[in-house]
Structure formats: C-alpha cells, structure tokens
Amino acid sequence: MLDDFLIRAALAGVGLTLATGPLGSFVVWRRMAYFGDATAHAAILGVALSFGFGLSIYAGTLAVALGMGITVATLASRGHAMDTVLGVLAHSALAFGLVAASFISGLRVDLSAFLFGDILAVSRADLGIIWGGAALVAGLLAWRWQGLLTATVNEELAQASGLDPKREQFVLTLALALTVAVALKIVGALLIAALLIIPAAAARQPARSPEAMALGASAVGSLSVLAGLAASLTWDTPAGPSIVAAAAVIFAVSLLFRVKG
C-alpha cells in the first residue's frame, strides 16, 4: 500500500493533523498566530544550516525553530513589544535563511519545496518521522492539557493553583517547534501557520468544549488534506497550497453557518 505516493501523502497529512489540531487550538486561544509565523519562517534558516553542516533536515529545523521560540518568549517577557519582536525576528530569520541557502550548491533549486511543501515526495522514512513527531506533540499536549488550559484562561489562577505559566509557555514552544519540523515537507515554511490556525478557527464555532474544538480542528485538518490532495490530482495544482486553500474554504463555510445560526 505504501508504494503508492498519493496514499503516503494522505497518511502524512492526516498524521500531521494529530498535532496541528490541538496545538492550533492553543495558538488561536492564546492569539499566537504571529508567534507561529515567526517559528515557521525560521525553518528556512534551519534548512540552510542543515545542508551547510550535513545535518538531518528535521534536526536542523527543530533546533532553529526551538531557538526562535525561546528567543521570542524571552524578549517578550522582558517587556519588548510582542508584535514588533515577532515582525523583526520572523522576517530576519527568513531573509538570513534565503541568503544562506544561496551559498549552498544545489539548495537554491530545491528551496521551493521547503517554502511551499512537497507532500507528494514523502518517503516511508519521512512518514515514520511525521507520525512519530505528531504523536509526540499530541502526547505532550495531552500530558499538560489541564495546566495549559488553566494558564491560557488566567495566569494568576494558574499561579494560585501551583502552576508555572512560563513552563506551560515553554511546553507550547517545544510543541510548536516539533510541529514545524515535521510539517515542513508537507505544506512548507510559508504555510505551516495557516495549517495551524485555519482548521482551529473553523472548528471553534460548533465546539462546545476545548476538547471538542481540538478534535474538531484535527478533523477539519484531515478533511483539508484529503480535499487538497484530490484538488491537486484533479487540477494539477501545488499540493501544499491546495491543502491550505481547502481549509480556507471549510472555514468560509463555517462562517456561513454561523451567520445563518
């Protein structure tokens, strides 16, 4: 079965939604959309460094994305304006990554695959890494679920309950970095944040609990993957952008139902 590249692509995309559903819900609840963008844009710098030092793409991307997340969180905690910090770091990391990539022979040609994804080229080894990484993120969020929810609702309440909001923020940063690393090959650095935010936003309206929203976001994400791959196969469109476009259509439909309701 896994010899069929389209089935591998579908399995990779659906596996990724195990992580993007619950994580995207926290991104929406905590208004971390720009934080996700900054971490994702840093992935290109991770790709360039991986090629330059002969490292695994996944390892290099994870290290740089985690470093970006920690840097942003640290600067924000010291009183720097979050939107300014995110804007400077996100675009700087992307620019430095593109410049560094221009010095690496052969990478310039392949860079579009890392910017917009190349899900149809997912191998069996990639499939194992994607499912393993997504399961790790889902397990991490499940383990810290109640603490993360409490810190999201009210940091003072979290402290009164014996929780450390900074630790919960680090858990989200780690989960986001892991997700960026495994999602890079599916939708690319420029569209990772969209796959986190749009399905969660679409699932927000009908959800009656945080858990329902997280599960709904995973379901919307899975449907977007399958619909996007079908559109790509039918109209010969890029697979990664097609997946995000399918998610956007589902979100638009959810808004229509909201208006009617």
Side-chain angles (χ1 to χ4, degrees), residues 35 68-78 82 85 169-170 173:
F35 189 94
M68 172 63 83
I70 292 173
T71 301
V72 170
T74 301
L75 290 176
S77 67
R78 292 181 179 178
M82 180 66 101
V85 169
Q169 175 65 43
F170 178 75
T173 301

Side-chain angles (χ1 to χ4, degrees), residues 91-148:
H91 297 98
S92 298
L94 181 59
F96 278 114
L98 293 173
V99 170
S102 68
F103 290 102
I104 300 172
S105 176
L107 180 56
R108 197 181 305 181
V109 177
D110 298 327
L111 202 56
S112 63
F114 298 108
L115 288 170
F116 303 107
D118 193 9
I119 190 173
L120 298 179
V122 168
S123 65
R124 292 187 181 189
D126 291 328
L127 200 55
I129 292 173
I130 289 168
W131 271 86
L136 185 59
V137 170
L140 180 64
L141 294 178
W143 173 51
R144 299 302 310 163
W145 184 260
Q146 198 56 52
L148 287 168

Side-chain angles (χ1 to χ4, degrees), residues 2 9 18-19 30 39 42 60 62 69 79 81 99 109 115 137 167-168 204 215 220 248 254:
L2 293 183
L18 294 175
R30 298 173 72 104
T39 308
L62 174 61
V99 170
V109 177
L115 288 170
V137 170
R167 182 184 62 188
E168 306 307 327
R204 189 173 194 172
L215 292 174
V220 170
S254 74

Side-chain angles (χ1 to χ4, degrees), residues 121-188:
V122 168
S123 65
R124 292 187 181 189
D126 291 328
L127 200 55
I129 292 173
I130 289 168
W131 271 86
L136 185 59
V137 170
L140 180 64
L141 294 178
W143 173 51
R144 299 302 310 163
W145 184 260
Q146 198 56 52
L148 287 168
L149 278 180
T150 304
T152 298
V153 172
N154 191 311
E155 289 192 358
E156 293 181 357
L157 177 62
Q159 289 176 332
S161 302
L163 297 171
D164 183 358
K166 291 184 178 179
R167 182 184 62 188
E168 306 307 327
Q169 175 65 43
F170 178 75
V171 169
L172 284 179
T173 301
L174 177 59
L176 188 57
L178 280 167
T179 302
V180 166
V182 299
L184 187 64
K185 197 159 190 175
I186 295 178
V187 291

